[in-house]
Amino acid sequence: MYEPTVARLTYRALLGRRRAAILFVLPALLILIAVAVRLLTGADDQVAADVLGGFAIATMIPLIGVIAGTGAIGPEIDDGSIVYLLAKPVKRSTIIFTKLIVAIAVTMAFSAIPTFIAGLILNGNGGQIAIAYTVAALVASIAYSALFLLLGTVTRHAVVLGLVYALVWETLFGSLVPGARTLSVQQWSLSLAERIGADGMISSDVGLPTAVTLLAVVTVVATWYAGQKLRTLKLAGEE
């Protein structure tokens, strides 16, 4: 199910000079914000939770997921270079799974690690805040990667749709419409963080069993459907 050559090509595409620069910007900004807040307010558990929840979970991780998830396959489909990969004797489900693993790894590296570092800077992991949000970042990375990889497979407007979901649905509607929060990767990941962090520091509108179930279902279904869509792509010689 994992093809090293596909993985190497995907890593090279995601970590090219331009995309790598974009990927580094948000984590660097989070660290800078954490340093500034610590200098201004000192170590405060609630402030740490607000910063990590308001910027890392709500903004940084979804955007990194969009870049990594759609970038793992979207550009190859757009420019037609995917046909060279599909011509190889590799199962299309293996291609999707390999690209998903790469997207997850990149998203985790550029989101979970900076989140943990920022948490340590903000309050030294008081109230298990840093650990809680790091776990949330890890599980959110998996679901976002699967969702945005699917978008990259089914539409040429994957980045736009991914940004709409991340910034409009989760951030805007998620904060204004209570029912929308139930269908939010952000809230599902916060459910795990709520269980780990100190009482009252982190809250989620979704119960833990429901959150874990939805995270698993969305990841599996999105990955399966992306594989199905890739199978429908026709090579020129197959027409």
Side-chain angles (χ1 to χ4, degrees):
M1 292 296 292
Y2 182 83
E3 173 55 49
T5 301
V6 175
R8 185 172 64 254
L9 294 172
T10 307
Y11 274 118
R12 185 181 301 172
L14 287 179
L15 300 178
R17 184 175 302 175
R18 184 170 61 181
R19 276 201 178 88
I22 297 173
L23 287 170
F24 273 108
V25 168
L26 289 170
L29 182 58
L30 174 63
I31 300 299
L32 287 175
I33 291 173
V35 171
V37 170
R38 178 61 185 266
L39 292 175
L40 292 172
T41 66
D44 185 291
D45 291 353
Q46 189 58 61
V47 171
D50 291 342
V51 171
L52 295 179
F55 184 78
I57 299 297
T59 302
M60 182 185 77
I61 298 171
L63 291 179
I64 291 175
V66 170
I67 296 170
T70 62
I73 195 169
E76 290 176 298
I77 294 177
D78 290 343
D79 63 20
S81 61
I82 190 72
V83 298
Y84 299 105
L85 184 58
L86 298 180
K88 302 296 181 182
V90 180
K91 292 182 179 180
R92 300 188 183 188
S93 59
T94 299
I95 294 172
I96 287 294
F97 185 76
T98 301
K99 287 182 174 293
L100 175 63
I101 294 299
V102 173
I104 290 172
V106 171
T107 305
M108 285 182 172
F110 284 91
S111 61
I113 295 173
T115 297
F116 181 67
I117 294 172
L120 293 180
I121 293 172
L122 286 164
N123 74 334
N125 195 37
Q128 295 292 302
I129 299 298
I131 294 294
Y133 278 106
T134 299
V135 170
L138 290 172
V139 297
S141 295
I142 298 172
Y144 281 132
S145 295
L147 278 174
F148 297 137
L149 179 67
L150 172 60
L151 284 179
T153 307
V154 301
T155 177
R156 292 178 179 271
H157 307 292
V159 174
V160 174
L161 293 178
L163 291 175
V164 168
Y165 174 81
L167 299 179
V168 177
W169 178 263
E170 294 217 336
T171 303
L172 181 59
F173 282 93
S175 63
L176 298 177
V177 183
R181 298 170 190 166
T182 305
L183 301 177
S184 166
V185 174
Q186 175 185 332
Q187 291 297 320
W188 303 342
S189 63
L190 285 175
S191 181
L192 279 82
E194 182 181 21
R195 180 61 62 90
I196 298 170
D199 291 342
M201 291 291 102
I202 306 170
S203 63
S204 171
D205 293 323
V206 182
L208 184 58
T210 302
V212 172
T213 301
L214 289 172
L215 283 166
V217 168
V218 165
T219 301
V220 171
V221 171
T223 304
W224 171 81
Y225 191 60
Q228 294 298 112
K229 293 300 292 184
L230 193 62
R231 287 191 183 97
T232 66
L233 288 178
K234 296 290 186 180
L235 300 178
E238 296 175 342
E239 304 257 337

